[in-house]
Coordinates of all heavy atoms in Angstrom, one line a residue:
M1 N -4.1 3.3 18.2 CA -3.0 2.4 18.0 C -1.7 3.0 18.6 O -1.5 4.2 18.5 CB -2.8 2.3 16.4 CG -1.7 1.3 16.0 SD -1.4 1.2 14.3 CE -3.0 0.4 13.7
S2 N -1.0 2.2 19.3 CA 0.2 2.7 20.0 C 1.3 3.0 19.0 O 1.3 2.6 17.8 CB 0.7 1.6 21.0 OG 1.4 0.6 20.3
I3 N 2.3 3.7 19.5 CA 3.5 4.0 18.6 C 4.1 2.8 18.1 O 4.5 2.6 16.9 CB 4.5 4.9 19.3 CG1 3.8 6.3 19.6 CG2 5.7 5.1 18.5 CD1 4.6 7.2 20.5
L4 N 4.3 1.8 18.9 CA 5.0 0.5 18.5 C 4.1 -0.2 17.5 O 4.6 -0.7 16.5 CB 5.2 -0.4 19.8 CG 5.9 -1.7 19.5 CD1 7.2 -1.5 18.8 CD2 6.0 -2.5 20.8
E5 N 2.8 -0.3 17.7 CA 1.9 -0.9 16.7 C 2.0 -0.2 15.4 O 2.0 -0.8 14.3 CB 0.5 -0.9 17.2 CG 0.2 -1.8 18.4 CD -1.2 -1.5 19.0 OE1 -1.6 -0.3 19.0 OE2 -1.7 -2.4 19.6
N6 N 2.0 1.1 15.4 CA 2.1 1.9 14.2 C 3.4 1.7 13.5 O 3.4 1.6 12.2 CB 1.9 3.4 14.5 CG 1.5 4.2 13.4 OD1 0.8 3.7 12.5 ND2 1.8 5.5 13.3
V7 N 4.5 1.6 14.2 CA 5.8 1.4 13.6 C 5.8 0.0 12.9 O 6.3 -0.1 11.8 CB 7.0 1.5 14.6 CG1 8.3 1.0 14.1 CG2 7.1 3.0 15.0
K8 N 5.3 -1.0 13.6 CA 5.3 -2.3 13.0 C 4.5 -2.4 11.8 O 4.8 -3.0 10.8 CB 4.9 -3.4 14.1 CG 5.9 -3.6 15.2 CD 5.4 -4.6 16.2 CE 6.4 -4.8 17.3 NZ 6.9 -6.1 17.3
M9 N 3.3 -1.7 11.9 CA 2.4 -1.7 10.7 C 3.1 -1.1 9.5 O 3.1 -1.6 8.4 CB 1.1 -1.0 11.0 CG 0.1 -0.9 9.9 SD -1.2 0.2 10.1 CE -0.4 1.8 9.8
N10 N 3.7 0.1 9.8 CA 4.3 0.8 8.7 C 5.4 0.0 8.1 O 5.6 0.0 6.8 CB 4.9 2.2 9.2 CG 3.8 3.2 9.5 OD1 2.6 3.0 9.1 ND2 4.1 4.2 10.2
Q11 N 6.3 -0.6 8.9 CA 7.4 -1.4 8.4 C 6.8 -2.6 7.5 O 7.4 -2.8 6.4 CB 8.2 -2.0 9.5 CG 9.1 -0.9 10.2 CD 9.7 -1.5 11.4 OE1 9.4 -2.5 12.0 NE2 10.8 -0.8 11.9
A12 N 5.8 -3.3 8.0 CA 5.3 -4.4 7.2 C 4.6 -3.9 5.9 O 4.7 -4.5 4.9 CB 4.3 -5.1 8.1
A13 N 3.9 -2.8 6.0 CA 3.2 -2.2 4.8 C 4.3 -1.8 3.8 O 4.1 -2.1 2.6 CB 2.3 -1.1 5.2
V14 N 5.3 -1.2 4.2 CA 6.4 -0.7 3.3 C 7.0 -2.0 2.6 O 7.2 -2.0 1.4 CB 7.5 0.1 4.0 CG1 8.7 0.2 3.2 CG2 6.9 1.5 4.4
H15 N 7.3 -3.0 3.4 CA 7.9 -4.2 2.8 C 7.0 -4.8 1.8 O 7.4 -5.2 0.7 CB 8.2 -5.2 4.0 CG 8.8 -6.5 3.5 ND1 10.1 -6.5 3.0 CD2 8.3 -7.7 3.4 CE1 10.4 -7.8 2.7 NE2 9.3 -8.5 2.9
L16 N 5.7 -4.9 2.1 CA 4.7 -5.5 1.2 C 4.7 -4.7 -0.1 O 4.7 -5.2 -1.2 CB 3.3 -5.5 1.8 CG 2.2 -6.1 0.9 CD1 2.4 -7.5 0.6 CD2 0.9 -5.9 1.6
L17 N 4.6 -3.4 0.0 CA 4.5 -2.5 -1.2 C 5.8 -2.6 -2.0 O 5.8 -2.5 -3.3 CB 4.2 -1.1 -0.8 CG 2.8 -0.8 -0.4 CD1 2.6 0.5 0.3 CD2 1.8 -1.0 -1.6
E18 N 7.0 -2.7 -1.4 CA 8.2 -2.9 -2.1 C 8.2 -4.2 -2.9 O 8.7 -4.2 -4.0 CB 9.4 -2.8 -1.2 CG 9.7 -1.5 -0.6 CD 10.8 -1.5 0.4 OE1 11.2 -2.5 0.9 OE2 11.3 -0.4 0.7
E19 N 7.7 -5.2 -2.3 CA 7.6 -6.5 -3.0 C 6.6 -6.5 -4.1 O 6.7 -7.3 -5.1 CB 7.3 -7.6 -2.0 CG 8.4 -8.0 -1.1 CD 8.1 -9.2 -0.2 OE1 6.9 -9.6 -0.1 OE2 9.0 -9.7 0.4
W20 N 5.6 -5.7 -4.0 CA 4.5 -5.7 -5.0 C 5.0 -5.3 -6.4 O 4.7 -6.0 -7.4 CB 3.4 -4.7 -4.5 CG 2.2 -4.7 -5.4 CD1 1.5 -5.8 -6.0 CD2 1.5 -3.5 -5.8 NE1 0.5 -5.3 -6.7 CE2 0.4 -4.0 -6.6 CE3 1.6 -2.2 -5.6 CZ2 -0.5 -3.1 -7.2 CZ3 0.7 -1.3 -6.1 CH2 -0.4 -1.8 -6.9
D21 N 5.7 -4.2 -6.5 CA 6.4 -3.8 -7.7 C 5.5 -3.9 -9.0 O 5.8 -4.7 -9.9 CB 7.7 -4.6 -7.9 CG 8.6 -4.1 -9.0 OD1 8.4 -3.0 -9.5 OD2 9.6 -4.8 -9.3
P22 N 4.4 -3.1 -9.0 CA 3.4 -3.2 -10.1 C 4.0 -3.0 -11.5 O 3.4 -3.5 -12.5 CB 2.4 -2.2 -9.7 CG 3.1 -1.2 -8.9 CD 4.1 -2.0 -8.1
F23 N 5.1 -2.2 -11.6 CA 5.6 -1.9 -13.0 C 6.9 -2.6 -13.3 O 7.6 -2.3 -14.3 CB 5.7 -0.4 -13.1 CG 4.5 0.4 -13.0 CD1 4.3 1.3 -12.0 CD2 3.4 0.1 -13.8 CE1 3.1 2.0 -11.8 CE2 2.2 0.8 -13.6 CZ 2.1 1.7 -12.6
H24 N 7.3 -3.5 -12.4 CA 8.5 -4.3 -12.6 C 9.7 -3.5 -12.7 O 10.6 -3.7 -13.6 CB 8.3 -5.3 -13.7 CG 7.1 -6.1 -13.6 ND1 6.9 -7.1 -12.7 CD2 5.9 -6.1 -14.3 CE1 5.7 -7.6 -12.8 NE2 5.1 -7.0 -13.8
L25 N 9.9 -2.5 -11.9 CA 11.0 -1.6 -11.9 C 12.0 -1.8 -10.8 O 13.1 -1.3 -10.8 CB 10.5 -0.1 -11.8 CG 9.6 0.4 -12.9 CD1 9.0 1.8 -12.5 CD2 10.2 0.4 -14.2
G26 N 11.7 -2.7 -9.9 CA 12.5 -3.0 -8.8 C 12.0 -2.2 -7.5 O 11.4 -1.2 -7.7
P27 N 12.3 -2.7 -6.4 CA 11.8 -2.1 -5.1 C 12.2 -0.7 -4.8 O 11.6 0.0 -4.0 CB 12.2 -3.1 -4.0 CG 13.4 -3.8 -4.6 CD 13.2 -3.8 -6.1
D28 N 13.3 -0.2 -5.4 CA 13.8 1.1 -5.1 C 13.2 2.2 -5.9 O 13.6 3.4 -5.8 CB 15.3 1.1 -5.3 CG 16.0 0.2 -4.3 OD1 15.5 -0.1 -3.2 OD2 17.1 -0.3 -4.7
H29 N 12.1 2.0 -6.6 CA 11.6 3.0 -7.5 C 10.2 3.5 -7.0 O 9.6 4.3 -7.7 CB 11.4 2.4 -8.9 CG 12.7 2.2 -9.6 ND1 13.4 1.1 -9.5 CD2 13.3 3.0 -10.5 CE1 14.5 1.2 -10.2 NE2 14.5 2.4 -10.9
Y30 N 9.8 3.1 -5.8 CA 8.5 3.5 -5.4 C 8.4 4.2 -4.0 O 7.4 4.2 -3.3 CB 7.6 2.2 -5.3 CG 7.5 1.4 -6.6 CD1 8.3 0.3 -6.7 CD2 6.7 1.8 -7.6 CE1 8.2 -0.5 -7.9 CE2 6.6 1.1 -8.8 CZ 7.4 -0.1 -8.9 OH 7.3 -0.8 -10.1
D31 N 9.5 4.8 -3.6 CA 9.6 5.4 -2.3 C 8.4 6.4 -2.0 O 7.8 6.3 -1.0 CB 10.9 6.1 -2.0 CG 12.1 5.1 -2.0 OD1 11.8 3.9 -1.7 OD2 13.2 5.5 -2.1
T32 N 8.2 7.3 -2.9 CA 7.2 8.3 -2.7 C 5.8 7.7 -2.7 O 5.0 8.0 -1.8 CB 7.3 9.4 -3.9 OG1 8.6 10.0 -3.8 CG2 6.2 10.5 -3.7
E33 N 5.6 6.8 -3.6 CA 4.2 6.1 -3.7 C 4.0 5.3 -2.4 O 2.9 5.3 -1.9 CB 4.1 5.3 -4.9 CG 4.2 6.1 -6.2 CD 5.6 6.6 -6.6 OE1 6.6 5.9 -6.1 OE2 5.7 7.6 -7.2
T34 N 5.0 4.6 -2.0 CA 4.9 3.8 -0.8 C 4.5 4.7 0.4 O 3.6 4.4 1.2 CB 6.2 3.0 -0.5 OG1 6.4 2.1 -1.6 CG2 6.1 2.2 0.8
A35 N 5.2 5.8 0.5 CA 5.0 6.7 1.7 C 3.6 7.2 1.6 O 2.9 7.3 2.6 CB 6.0 7.8 1.6
D36 N 3.1 7.6 0.4 CA 1.7 8.1 0.3 C 0.7 7.1 0.6 O -0.3 7.4 1.3 CB 1.5 8.6 -1.2 CG 2.3 9.9 -1.5 OD1 2.8 10.5 -0.6 OD2 2.3 10.2 -2.7
V37 N 0.9 5.8 0.2 CA -0.1 4.8 0.5 C -0.1 4.4 1.9 O -1.1 4.2 2.5 CB 0.2 3.5 -0.4 CG1 -0.7 2.4 0.0 CG2 -0.1 3.9 -1.9
V38 N 1.1 4.3 2.5 CA 1.2 4.0 4.0 C 0.5 5.1 4.8 O -0.2 4.8 5.8 CB 2.6 3.7 4.4 CG1 2.7 3.6 5.9 CG2 3.1 2.4 3.7
A39 N 0.7 6.3 4.4 CA 0.1 7.4 5.1 C -1.5 7.3 5.0 O -2.2 7.5 6.0 CB 0.6 8.8 4.6
A40 N -1.9 7.0 3.8 CA -3.4 6.8 3.6 C -3.9 5.7 4.4 O -5.1 5.7 4.9 CB -3.7 6.6 2.1
L41 N -3.2 4.6 4.5 CA -3.6 3.4 5.3 C -3.9 3.8 6.7 O -4.8 3.1 7.3 CB -2.5 2.4 5.2 CG -2.7 1.1 6.0 CD1 -3.9 0.3 5.5 CD2 -1.4 0.2 5.9
Q42 N -3.3 4.8 7.3 CA -3.6 5.2 8.7 C -5.1 5.5 8.9 O -5.6 5.1 9.9 CB -2.8 6.4 9.0 CG -1.3 6.3 8.8 CD -0.6 5.3 9.7 OE1 -1.0 5.1 10.9 NE2 0.4 4.7 9.2
G43 N -5.7 6.1 7.9 CA -7.1 6.5 8.1 C -8.1 5.8 7.3 O -9.3 6.2 7.3
I44 N -7.7 4.7 6.6 CA -8.7 4.0 5.7 C -8.7 2.5 6.2 O -7.7 1.9 6.3 CB -8.2 4.1 4.3 CG1 -8.2 5.5 3.8 CG2 -9.1 3.2 3.4 CD1 -7.6 5.7 2.4
D45 N -10.0 2.1 6.4 CA -10.2 0.7 6.7 C -10.9 -0.1 5.6 O -11.1 -1.3 5.7 CB -11.0 0.6 8.0 CG -10.3 1.1 9.2 OD1 -9.0 1.1 9.2 OD2 -10.9 1.5 10.2
D46 N -11.4 0.6 4.6 CA -12.1 -0.1 3.5 C -11.2 -0.4 2.3 O -10.5 0.5 1.8 CB -13.2 0.9 3.0 CG -14.0 0.3 1.8 OD1 -14.5 -0.8 2.0 OD2 -14.0 0.9 0.8
P47 N -11.1 -1.7 1.9 CA -10.2 -2.1 0.8 C -10.4 -1.3 -0.5 O -9.5 -1.0 -1.2 CB -10.4 -3.6 0.7 CG -11.0 -4.0 1.9 CD -11.8 -2.8 2.5
S48 N -11.7 -1.1 -0.8 CA -12.0 -0.4 -2.1 C -11.5 1.0 -2.1 O -11.0 1.5 -3.1 CB -13.5 -0.5 -2.4 OG -13.9 -1.8 -2.7
T49 N -11.7 1.7 -0.9 CA -11.3 3.1 -0.8 C -9.8 3.1 -0.9 O -9.2 4.0 -1.6 CB -11.8 3.7 0.5 OG1 -13.2 3.6 0.6 CG2 -11.4 5.1 0.7
L50 N -9.1 2.2 -0.2 CA -7.6 2.2 -0.2 C -7.1 1.9 -1.6 O -6.2 2.4 -2.1 CB -7.1 1.2 0.8 CG -5.6 1.2 0.9 CD1 -5.0 2.6 1.3 CD2 -5.1 0.1 1.9
A51 N -7.8 1.0 -2.3 CA -7.4 0.6 -3.7 C -7.5 1.8 -4.6 O -6.6 1.9 -5.5 CB -8.4 -0.5 -4.2
K52 N -8.5 2.6 -4.4 CA -8.5 3.8 -5.3 C -7.3 4.7 -5.0 O -6.8 5.3 -6.0 CB -9.8 4.6 -5.0 CG -11.1 3.9 -5.5 CD -12.3 4.7 -5.1 CE -13.5 3.8 -5.5 NZ -14.8 4.4 -5.0
V53 N -6.9 4.9 -3.8 CA -5.8 5.7 -3.4 C -4.5 5.0 -4.1 O -3.7 5.7 -4.6 CB -5.6 5.8 -1.9 CG1 -4.2 6.4 -1.5 CG2 -6.7 6.6 -1.3
V54 N -4.4 3.7 -3.9 CA -3.2 3.0 -4.5 C -3.2 3.3 -6.0 O -2.2 3.7 -6.6 CB -3.3 1.5 -4.2 CG1 -2.2 0.7 -5.0 CG2 -3.1 1.3 -2.7
Q55 N -4.3 3.0 -6.7 CA -4.4 3.2 -8.1 C -4.0 4.6 -8.6 O -3.2 4.8 -9.4 CB -5.8 2.8 -8.6 CG -5.8 2.7 -10.2 CD -7.2 2.3 -10.6 OE1 -8.2 2.8 -10.2 NE2 -7.2 1.3 -11.5
E56 N -4.6 5.6 -7.9 CA -4.4 7.0 -8.3 C -3.0 7.4 -8.0 O -2.4 8.1 -8.8 CB -5.4 7.9 -7.5 CG -6.8 7.8 -8.0 CD -7.8 8.5 -7.0 OE1 -7.4 9.1 -6.0 OE2 -9.0 8.4 -7.3
T57 N -2.4 7.0 -6.9 CA -1.0 7.3 -6.5 C 0.0 6.8 -7.5 O 0.8 7.6 -8.0 CB -0.7 6.8 -5.1 OG1 -1.6 7.4 -4.2 CG2 0.7 7.2 -4.7
Y58 N -0.1 5.5 -7.8 CA 0.9 4.9 -8.7 C 0.7 5.4 -10.2 O 1.6 5.6 -10.9 CB 0.8 3.4 -8.6 CG 1.5 2.8 -7.4 CD1 0.9 2.9 -6.2 CD2 2.8 2.3 -7.5 CE1 1.6 2.4 -5.1 CE2 3.4 1.8 -6.4 CZ 2.8 1.8 -5.2 OH 3.5 1.3 -4.1
E59 N -0.6 5.5 -10.6 CA -0.9 5.9 -12.0 C -0.4 7.4 -12.2 O 0.1 7.7 -13.2 CB -2.3 5.7 -12.3 CG -2.7 4.3 -12.5 CD -4.2 4.1 -12.9 OE1 -4.9 5.1 -13.0 OE2 -4.6 3.0 -13.2
H60 N -0.6 8.2 -11.2 CA -0.2 9.6 -11.3 C 1.3 9.7 -11.5 O 1.8 10.5 -12.3 CB -0.7 10.4 -10.1 CG -0.2 11.8 -10.1 ND1 -0.8 12.8 -10.9 CD2 0.7 12.4 -9.4 CE1 -0.2 13.9 -10.7 NE2 0.8 13.7 -9.8
S61 N 2.0 9.0 -10.7 CA 3.5 9.0 -10.7 C 4.1 8.5 -12.0 O 5.1 9.0 -12.5 CB 4.1 8.3 -9.5 OG 3.8 9.0 -8.3
F62 N 3.5 7.3 -12.4 CA 4.2 6.6 -13.5 C 3.4 6.7 -14.9 O 3.9 6.2 -15.9 CB 4.4 5.1 -13.1 CG 5.4 5.0 -12.0 CD1 4.9 4.9 -10.7 CD2 6.7 4.9 -12.3 CE1 5.9 4.8 -9.7 CE2 7.6 4.8 -11.3 CZ 7.2 4.7 -10.0
E63 N 2.3 7.4 -14.8 CA 1.4 7.5 -16.0 C 1.2 6.2 -16.7 O 1.3 6.1 -18.0 CB 2.1 8.6 -16.9 CG 2.1 10.0 -16.3 CD 2.7 11.0 -17.2 OE1 3.2 10.7 -18.2 OE2 2.7 12.2 -16.7
Q64 N 1.0 5.2 -16.0 CA 0.7 3.9 -16.5 C -0.6 3.4 -15.7 O -0.7 3.6 -14.5 CB 1.8 2.9 -16.3 CG 3.0 3.2 -17.1 CD 4.1 2.2 -16.9 OE1 3.9 1.0 -16.9 NE2 5.3 2.6 -16.6
W65 N -1.4 2.6 -16.4 CA -2.6 2.0 -15.8 C -2.3 0.8 -15.0 O -1.5 0.0 -15.4 CB -3.6 1.7 -17.0 CG -4.9 1.1 -16.5 CD1 -5.9 1.8 -16.0 CD2 -5.3 -0.2 -16.6 NE1 -6.9 1.0 -15.7 CE2 -6.6 -0.3 -16.1 CE3 -4.7 -1.4 -17.1 CZ2 -7.3 -1.5 -16.0 CZ3 -5.4 -2.5 -17.1 CH2 -6.7 -2.6 -16.5
I66 N -3.0 0.7 -13.9 CA -2.9 -0.6 -13.1 C -4.4 -1.1 -13.0 O -5.3 -0.3 -12.6 CB -2.4 -0.3 -11.7 CG1 -1.0 0.3 -11.7 CG2 -2.4 -1.6 -10.8 CD1 -0.5 0.7 -10.3
P67 N -4.6 -2.3 -13.2 CA -6.0 -2.8 -13.1 C -6.5 -2.7 -11.6 O -5.7 -2.9 -10.7 CB -5.9 -4.3 -13.4 CG -4.6 -4.4 -14.2 CD -3.7 -3.3 -13.7
F68 N -7.7 -2.2 -11.5 CA -8.3 -2.0 -10.2 C -8.2 -3.2 -9.3 O -8.0 -3.1 -8.1 CB -9.7 -1.4 -10.3 CG -10.3 -0.9 -9.0 CD1 -9.7 0.2 -8.3 CD2 -11.3 -1.6 -8.4 CE1 -10.2 0.6 -7.1 CE2 -11.8 -1.2 -7.1 CZ -11.3 -0.1 -6.5
E69 N -8.4 -4.4 -9.9 CA -8.4 -5.6 -9.2 C -7.1 -5.9 -8.5 O -7.0 -6.4 -7.4 CB -8.7 -6.8 -10.1 CG -10.1 -6.8 -10.7 CD -10.2 -5.8 -11.9 OE1 -9.2 -5.5 -12.5 OE2 -11.4 -5.5 -12.2
D70 N -6.0 -5.5 -9.2 CA -4.6 -5.6 -8.6 C -4.5 -4.7 -7.4 O -3.9 -5.0 -6.3 CB -3.5 -5.2 -9.6 CG -3.5 -6.2 -10.7 OD1 -4.2 -7.2 -10.7 OD2 -2.7 -5.9 -11.7
C71 N -5.1 -3.5 -7.5 CA -5.1 -2.5 -6.4 C -5.9 -3.0 -5.2 O -5.5 -2.8 -4.0 CB -5.5 -1.2 -6.8 SG -4.5 -0.5 -8.1
V72 N -7.0 -3.6 -5.5 CA -7.9 -4.2 -4.4 C -7.1 -5.3 -3.7 O -7.1 -5.4 -2.5 CB -9.2 -4.7 -5.0 CG1 -10.0 -5.5 -4.0 CG2 -10.1 -3.5 -5.5
A73 N -6.4 -6.2 -4.5 CA -5.7 -7.3 -3.9 C -4.6 -6.8 -2.9 O -4.5 -7.3 -1.8 CB -5.1 -8.2 -5.0
I74 N -3.9 -5.8 -3.3 CA -2.8 -5.3 -2.4 C -3.5 -4.5 -1.2 O -3.0 -4.6 -0.1 CB -1.8 -4.4 -3.2 CG1 -0.5 -4.2 -2.3 CG2 -2.4 -3.1 -3.6 CD1 0.3 -5.4 -2.2
S75 N -4.6 -3.9 -1.5 CA -5.3 -3.2 -0.4 C -5.8 -4.1 0.7 O -5.7 -3.8 1.9 CB -6.4 -2.4 -0.9 OG -6.0 -1.4 -1.8
Y76 N -6.3 -5.3 0.3 CA -6.7 -6.2 1.3 C -5.5 -6.7 2.2 O -5.7 -6.8 3.4 CB -7.4 -7.5 0.7 CG -8.9 -7.3 0.5 CD1 -9.4 -7.0 -0.7 CD2 -9.7 -7.5 1.6 CE1 -10.8 -6.9 -0.9 CE2 -11.1 -7.4 1.4 CZ -11.6 -7.1 0.2 OH -13.0 -6.9 0.0
K77 N -4.4 -6.9 1.5 CA -3.2 -7.3 2.3 C -2.7 -6.2 3.2 O -2.3 -6.5 4.4 CB -2.1 -7.7 1.3 CG -2.4 -8.9 0.5 CD -1.3 -9.2 -0.5 CE -1.7 -10.5 -1.3 NZ -0.6 -10.7 -2.3
L78 N -2.8 -5.0 2.8 CA -2.4 -3.8 3.6 C -3.3 -3.7 4.8 O -2.9 -3.5 5.9 CB -2.4 -2.5 2.8 CG -1.2 -2.4 1.8 CD1 -1.5 -1.3 0.8 CD2 0.1 -2.2 2.5
I79 N -4.6 -3.8 4.6 CA -5.6 -3.7 5.7 C -5.4 -4.8 6.7 O -5.5 -4.7 7.9 CB -7.0 -3.5 5.1 CG1 -7.1 -2.1 4.5 CG2 -8.0 -3.7 6.2 CD1 -8.3 -1.7 3.8
A80 N -5.1 -6.0 6.2 CA -4.8 -7.1 7.0 C -3.6 -6.9 7.9 O -3.7 -7.2 9.1 CB -4.6 -8.4 6.2
I81 N -2.6 -6.3 7.4 CA -1.4 -5.9 8.2 C -1.8 -4.9 9.3 O -1.4 -5.0 10.4 CB -0.3 -5.3 7.2 CG1 0.3 -6.4 6.4 CG2 0.7 -4.5 8.1 CD1 1.3 -5.9 5.4
K82 N -2.7 -3.9 8.9 CA -3.1 -2.9 9.8 C -3.9 -3.5 11.0 O -3.6 -3.3 12.2 CB -4.0 -1.9 9.1 CG -4.6 -0.8 10.0 CD -5.4 0.1 9.2 CE -5.9 1.3 10.0 NZ -6.7 2.3 9.2
F83 N -4.8 -4.4 10.7 CA -5.6 -5.0 11.8 C -4.8 -6.0 12.6 O -4.9 -6.2 13.8 CB -6.9 -5.6 11.2 CG -7.9 -4.6 10.9 CD1 -8.2 -4.3 9.6 CD2 -8.5 -3.8 11.9 CE1 -9.1 -3.3 9.3 CE2 -9.4 -2.8 11.6 CZ -9.7 -2.6 10.3
E84 N -3.8 -6.7 12.0 CA -2.9 -7.6 12.7 C -2.0 -6.8 13.6 O -1.8 -7.2 14.8 CB -2.0 -8.3 11.7 CG -1.1 -9.3 12.3 CD -0.2 -10.1 11.3 OE1 -0.8 -10.5 10.3 OE2 1.0 -10.2 11.6
A85 N -1.6 -5.6 13.2 CA -0.7 -4.8 14.1 C -1.5 -4.3 15.3 O -1.0 -4.2 16.4 CB -0.2 -3.6 13.3
K86 N -2.8 -4.1 15.1 CA -3.7 -3.6 16.3 C -3.8 -4.8 17.3 O -4.0 -4.5 18.5 CB -5.0 -3.2 15.8 CG -5.0 -1.9 15.1 CD -6.5 -1.5 14.7 CE -6.5 -0.2 14.0 NZ -7.9 0.2 13.6
C87 N -3.7 -6.0 16.8 CA -3.9 -7.2 17.7 C -2.7 -7.7 18.3 O -2.8 -8.6 19.2 CB -4.7 -8.3 17.0 SG -6.3 -7.8 16.4
I88 N -1.5 -7.3 17.9 CA -0.2 -7.8 18.4 C 0.0 -7.5 19.9 O 0.4 -8.4 20.6 CB 0.9 -7.3 17.6 CG1 0.9 -8.0 16.2 CG2 2.3 -7.6 18.2 CD1 1.9 -7.5 15.2
I89 N -0.3 -6.3 20.3 CA 0.0 -5.9 21.6 C -1.3 -5.9 22.5 O -2.3 -5.6 22.1 CB 0.7 -4.5 21.6 CG1 2.0 -4.7 20.9 CG2 0.9 -4.0 23.0 CD1 2.8 -3.4 20.7

């Protein structure tokens, strides 16, 4: 993936995760979790694997449970962003 593709993917993934707001705290409360998930997205192409990372990351930080199905749903969207970024250029 080129640098430009990677930047576009990261920006889109960050925006999506900010809008997701699983604990209804507002988009400014997830900077660390967003960075961790976007970093994991670089090397993960499987939605279930990424969903586990999402769930563990957010639950560890906030000590609140997130249904796995919610994590899978956001993971599919993140992986779609990743593959779309690969096809843009």
Side-chain angles (χ1 to χ4, degrees):
M1 185 179 294
S2 76
I3 293 172
L4 181 58
E5 291 168 332
N6 200 31
V7 168
K8 288 181 184 245
M9 179 193 76
N10 289 346
Q11 289 172 340
V14 165
H15 181 70
L16 177 66
L17 287 166
E18 286 175 346
E19 287 184 347
W20 183 44
D21 193 7
F23 301 119
H24 309 288
L25 301 173
D28 297 331
H29 288 85
Y30 304 102
D31 292 341
T32 302
E33 296 74 29
T34 296
D36 290 348
V37 170
V38 171
L41 178 61
Q42 306 293 325
I44 298 174
D45 292 337
D46 176 60
S48 293
T49 303
L50 185 59
K52 289 176 188 172
V53 171
V54 170
Q55 188 178 47
E56 290 170 0
T57 300
Y58 281 79
E59 286 182 359
H60 176 75
S61 292
F62 293 93
E63 298 180 353
Q64 294 183 46
W65 179 75
I66 301 176
F68 188 69
E69 296 79 19
D70 294 354
C71 298
V72 169
I74 196 72
S75 295
Y76 269 103
K77 292 176 183 178
L78 288 165
I79 289 175
I81 287 170
K82 180 178 182 175
F83 285 109
E84 183 179 315
K86 286 182 178 181
C87 297
I88 289 175
I89 297 177

